[in-house]
Coordinates of all heavy atoms in Angstrom, one line a residue:
L393 N 67.8 -39.9 59.8 CA 67.9 -39.5 58.4 C 67.4 -40.7 57.5 O 68.0 -41.8 57.5 CB 69.4 -39.3 58.0 CG 70.0 -38.0 58.8 CD1 71.4 -37.8 58.4 CD2 69.3 -36.7 58.3
S394 N 66.4 -40.4 56.8 CA 65.7 -41.5 56.0 C 66.7 -42.0 54.9 O 66.7 -43.2 54.4 CB 64.5 -41.0 55.3 OG 64.7 -39.9 54.5
E395 N 67.6 -41.1 54.3 CA 68.5 -41.5 53.3 C 69.7 -42.5 53.8 O 70.3 -43.1 53.0 CB 69.1 -40.3 52.6 CG 70.0 -39.5 53.5 CD 69.3 -38.3 54.3 OE1 67.9 -38.5 54.5 OE2 69.9 -37.3 54.5
Q396 N 69.7 -42.6 55.1 CA 70.8 -43.5 55.7 C 70.1 -44.6 56.5 O 70.8 -45.3 57.2 CB 71.7 -42.7 56.5 CG 72.5 -41.7 56.0 CD 73.5 -41.0 56.8 OE1 73.3 -41.1 58.1 NE2 74.6 -40.4 56.3
M397 N 68.9 -44.9 56.3 CA 68.1 -45.8 57.0 C 68.8 -47.3 56.9 O 68.9 -47.9 58.0 CB 66.6 -45.9 56.6 CG 65.7 -46.5 57.6 SD 64.0 -46.5 57.3 CE 63.8 -47.9 56.2
L398 N 69.1 -47.7 55.7 CA 69.6 -49.1 55.6 C 70.9 -49.2 56.4 O 71.2 -50.2 57.1 CB 69.8 -49.4 54.1 CG 70.4 -50.8 53.8 CD1 69.6 -51.9 54.4 CD2 70.5 -51.0 52.3
A399 N 71.8 -48.2 56.3 CA 73.0 -48.2 56.9 C 72.8 -48.2 58.5 O 73.4 -48.9 59.3 CB 73.9 -46.9 56.5
A400 N 71.9 -47.4 58.9 CA 71.5 -47.4 60.3 C 71.0 -48.7 60.9 O 71.3 -49.1 62.0 CB 70.5 -46.3 60.7
L401 N 70.2 -49.4 60.0 CA 69.7 -50.7 60.5 C 70.9 -51.7 60.6 O 70.9 -52.5 61.5 CB 68.8 -51.3 59.3 CG 67.4 -50.6 59.2 CD1 66.7 -51.1 57.9 CD2 66.6 -50.9 60.4
Y421 N 58.1 -47.4 50.4 CA 59.4 -47.7 50.2 C 60.1 -48.1 51.4 O 61.0 -49.0 51.6 CB 60.1 -46.7 49.3 CG 59.6 -46.5 48.0 CD1 58.5 -45.7 47.6 CD2 60.2 -47.3 46.9 CE1 58.1 -45.6 46.2 CE2 59.7 -47.1 45.6 CZ 58.8 -46.4 45.3 OH 58.4 -46.2 44.0
Y422 N 60.0 -47.2 52.5 CA 60.7 -47.4 53.8 C 60.3 -48.6 54.5 O 61.1 -49.3 55.0 CB 60.6 -46.1 54.6 CG 61.2 -44.8 53.9 CD1 60.5 -43.8 53.6 CD2 62.6 -44.8 53.6 CE1 60.9 -42.6 53.0 CE2 63.1 -43.7 53.1 CZ 62.3 -42.6 52.7 OH 62.9 -41.6 52.2
K424 N 59.3 -51.2 52.9 CA 59.8 -52.3 52.1 C 61.3 -52.5 52.5 O 61.7 -53.7 52.6 CB 59.8 -52.0 50.6 CG 60.2 -53.1 49.6 CD 60.0 -52.7 48.2 CE 60.4 -53.8 47.3 NZ 60.3 -53.5 45.8
I425 N 62.0 -51.4 52.7 CA 63.4 -51.5 53.2 C 63.5 -52.3 54.5 O 64.3 -53.2 54.7 CB 64.1 -50.1 53.4 CG1 64.3 -49.5 52.1 CG2 65.5 -50.3 54.0 CD1 64.6 -48.0 52.1
Q428 N 62.9 -56.1 53.7 CA 63.9 -56.7 52.9 C 65.1 -56.9 53.9 O 65.8 -58.0 53.8 CB 64.3 -55.8 51.8 CG 63.3 -55.7 50.6 CD 63.6 -54.8 49.6 OE1 64.0 -53.6 49.8 NE2 63.4 -55.1 48.3
L434 N 69.7 -58.0 51.4 CA 70.4 -56.6 51.5 C 70.5 -56.2 50.1 O 70.5 -54.8 50.0 CB 71.8 -56.9 52.0 CG 71.8 -57.4 53.4 CD1 73.3 -57.4 54.0 CD2 71.0 -56.5 54.4
A435 N 70.7 -56.8 49.1 CA 70.8 -56.3 47.7 C 69.5 -55.6 47.3 O 69.4 -54.5 46.7 CB 71.1 -57.4 46.6
G436 N 68.4 -56.2 47.6 CA 67.1 -55.6 47.3 C 66.8 -54.3 48.2 O 66.3 -53.4 47.6
A437 N 67.3 -54.4 49.4 CA 67.1 -53.2 50.3 C 67.9 -52.1 49.8 O 67.5 -50.9 49.8 CB 67.5 -53.5 51.6
L438 N 69.1 -52.4 49.2 CA 70.0 -51.3 48.7 C 69.3 -50.6 47.5 O 69.4 -49.4 47.3 CB 71.3 -51.9 48.4 CG 72.3 -50.8 47.8 CD1 72.6 -49.7 48.8 CD2 73.7 -51.5 47.5
E439 N 68.7 -51.4 46.6 CA 68.1 -51.0 45.5 C 66.8 -50.1 45.9 O 66.7 -49.1 45.3 CB 67.5 -52.1 44.6 CG 68.6 -52.8 43.8 CD 68.1 -53.9 42.9 OE1 66.9 -54.0 42.8 OE2 68.9 -54.7 42.4
T440 N 66.1 -50.5 46.8 CA 64.9 -49.7 47.3 C 65.4 -48.5 48.0 O 64.9 -47.3 47.6 CB 64.0 -50.5 48.3 OG1 63.8 -51.7 47.7 CG2 62.9 -49.8 48.7
Q441 N 66.5 -48.4 48.7 CA 67.0 -47.3 49.4 C 67.5 -46.3 48.4 O 67.2 -45.1 48.4 CB 68.1 -47.6 50.3 CG 68.8 -46.5 51.0 CD 68.0 -45.9 52.3 OE1 68.0 -46.6 53.3 NE2 67.3 -44.8 52.1
T442 N 68.2 -46.8 47.3 CA 68.8 -45.9 46.3 C 67.6 -45.2 45.5 O 67.7 -44.1 45.2 CB 69.7 -46.8 45.4 OG1 70.7 -47.3 46.1 CG2 70.3 -45.8 44.2
H443 N 66.6 -46.1 45.3 CA 65.5 -45.5 44.5 C 64.7 -44.3 45.3 O 64.5 -43.2 44.8 CB 64.4 -46.5 44.1 CG 63.3 -46.0 43.3 ND1 63.5 -45.5 41.9 CD2 61.9 -46.0 43.5 CE1 62.4 -45.1 41.4 NE2 61.4 -45.5 42.4
I444 N 64.4 -44.6 46.5 CA 63.7 -43.6 47.3 C 64.6 -42.4 47.7 O 64.1 -41.3 48.0 CB 63.0 -44.2 48.6 CG1 62.0 -43.2 49.3 CG2 64.2 -44.7 49.6 CD1 60.9 -42.8 48.3
N445 N 65.9 -42.6 47.7 CA 66.8 -41.5 47.9 C 66.7 -40.4 46.8 O 67.3 -39.3 47.1 CB 68.3 -42.0 48.0 CG 68.6 -42.5 49.5 OD1 67.7 -42.5 50.3 ND2 69.7 -43.1 49.6
Q446 N 66.1 -40.7 45.7 CA 65.9 -39.7 44.7 C 65.0 -38.7 45.2 O 65.0 -37.5 44.8 CB 65.4 -40.4 43.4 CG 66.3 -41.2 42.7 CD 65.6 -41.9 41.4 OE1 65.7 -41.4 40.3 NE2 65.0 -43.0 41.7
L447 N 64.0 -39.1 46.1 CA 63.2 -38.1 46.7 C 64.0 -37.1 47.7 O 63.7 -35.9 47.6 CB 62.2 -38.8 47.5 CG 61.3 -38.0 48.5 CD1 60.4 -37.0 47.6 CD2 60.4 -38.8 49.4
T448 N 64.9 -37.7 48.4 CA 65.8 -36.9 49.3 C 66.6 -35.9 48.4 O 66.7 -34.7 48.8 CB 66.7 -37.8 50.1 OG1 66.0 -38.7 50.8 CG2 67.6 -36.9 51.0

Side-chain angles (χ1 to χ4, degrees):
L393 294 176
S394 58
E395 64 268 30
Q396 293 183 342
M397 196 173 86
L398 179 57
L401 288 171
Y421 288 92
Y422 296 117
K424 186 176 181 180
I425 293 170
Q428 289 171 318
L434 298 183
L438 179 59
E439 289 183 7
T440 306
Q441 179 78 77
T442 301
H443 183 61
I444 192 60
N445 278 359
Q446 293 178 90
L447 171 64
T448 304

